[in-house]
Amino acid sequence: MKRKGTGKGLMAVGSLRKDGITTYMKQGRLILRSANSMEKRSNTLPQFIQRQKMRHSVALWSLLKYCRPMFTKGATAYNNFLSLANQLPVLYVEKVVMGKTAFLMPGIPVSDGTLPEIKQQLGEVDGQPALITDLDMEKWEPNTSLWLFTATQTGSDVDARVLFDKRAVSWMDMTMVDGHCVLKGEEFADEMKGWALVMVKGERCSPQRIVTRCTLYQQFTTDEALQIAIKSYGGLTPSL
């Protein structure tokens, strides 16, 4: 809100909310009205679904952001992430845990940039669990680094969280299989974890998403979960 000085004191230009009252100037007149609308917010099925999707995307970002992920294509990293996360499956969660839960699932974006995407999948190499990529050692360039993001599912339902971390990966950590780079280790057998290998060169990075075997999230994608979540919000707005 801007304030403009006059010979008789200060005049509010814009609006001011205080104690449930909105105060603003209109055509030189001081207008007061209630700041709290008594009208119930519309909650149609499409609106409810989109709000559930946004809720989970925001919860994921609140945990991922501490790893300082690179999202370079949007106006902000946050907006870039939300645009990509909007493509994830919708999870239907009851109102009581709306702002708290986050679930590990395939496809969670951890970066977005202009370098080529690294194709990757979980599998087995030489009898060991592995993160298998299409990264070609011969295309390695100087001043390029690799970061491995790890996502860990904790909790079960009302206390579910996804904890993210990242670590630098050296080419010396890789195994070559058919000309492509592979990361091997027992950690890649963990069904409550997910991974994404990101290439970074200066201010550029590859666009990557989490691969995981975790299925905990699936119980919140069903029609039964949808109906329970709708009920917890007091139902939907009747269709006209």
Side-chain angles (χ1 to χ4, degrees):
M1 181 184 71
K2 297 180 180 179
R3 293 181 180 269
K4 182 172 68 175
T6 69
K8 297 181 180 180
L10 292 175
M11 179 179 69
V13 179
S15 65
L16 174 66
R17 293 191 177 191
K18 184 178 181 181
D19 299 327
I21 300 296
T22 296
T23 304
Y24 61 96
M25 296 297 297
K26 183 177 182 180
Q27 297 178 347
R29 298 172 57 201
L30 181 64
I31 307 295
L32 285 80
R33 66 176 176 82
S34 172
N36 301 314
S37 173
M38 300 302 292
E39 183 178 351
K40 185 178 180 181
R41 183 173 68 164
S42 175
N43 193 31
T44 64
L45 181 58
Q47 289 171 330
F48 180 79
I49 290 174
Q50 187 55 42
R51 286 166 185 157
Q52 288 283 298
K53 183 177 290 190
M54 178 61 73
R55 180 213 68 81
H56 190 242
S57 296
V58 171
L60 287 173
W61 175 256
S62 70
L63 297 162
L64 175 63
K65 67 181 181 181
Y66 295 108
C67 287
R68 297 187 178 182
M70 293 180 68
F71 288 89
T72 64
K73 288 189 174 181
T76 65
Y78 176 66
N79 289 341
N80 196 171
F81 172 84
L82 289 184
S83 178
L84 295 171
N86 193 54
Q87 302 168 25
L88 293 171
V90 187
L91 301 187
Y92 306 114
V93 181
E94 294 179 74
K95 185 176 182 179
V96 68
V97 295
M98 176 185 176
K100 301 177 182 178
T101 55
F103 295 89
L104 176 57
M105 63 174 66
I108 296 174
V110 297
S111 64
D112 193 26
T114 58
L115 293 180
E117 177 186 1
I118 302 172
K119 303 294 184 183
Q120 44 200 292
Q121 63 182 351
L122 294 170
E124 191 173 284
V125 173
D126 299 328
Q128 294 186 56
L131 179 65
I132 303 168
T133 81
D134 69 346
L135 204 53
D136 189 339
M137 178 74 80
E138 294 182 356
K139 295 183 179 179
W140 172 254
E141 298 178 6
N143 303 317
T144 300
S145 58
L146 294 171
W147 290 92
L148 181 66
F149 281 76
T150 301
T152 304
Q153 179 74 73
T154 65
S156 56
D157 41 40
V158 298
D159 61 346
R161 301 287 188 279
V162 182
L163 304 181
F164 294 91
D165 63 47
K166 70 178 182 181
R167 70 175 191 264
V169 172
S170 165
W171 288 97
M172 301 298 292
D173 300 323
M174 301 284 192
T175 298
M176 297 302 298
V177 177
D178 297 329
H180 296 143
C181 296
V182 171
L183 282 170
K184 296 191 298 183
E186 289 301 319
E187 66 174 305
F188 298 112
D190 194 329
E191 295 185 352
M192 301 301 281
K193 289 186 177 183
W195 300 268
L197 189 65
V198 179
M199 179 177 287
V200 177
K201 185 174 183 180
E203 298 299 317
R204 297 185 296 155
C205 68
S206 59
Q208 303 298 157
R209 293 174 177 263
I210 290 288
V211 294
T212 180
R213 297 185 180 92
C214 187
T215 60
L216 178 64
Y217 75 96
Q218 292 179 357
Q219 63 185 294
F220 299 99
T221 63
T222 65
D223 185 64
E224 180 182 4
L226 170 60
Q227 297 307 319
I228 292 173
I230 288 173
K231 184 178 180 180
S232 75
Y233 282 83
L236 299 174
T237 302
S239 301
L240 297 178

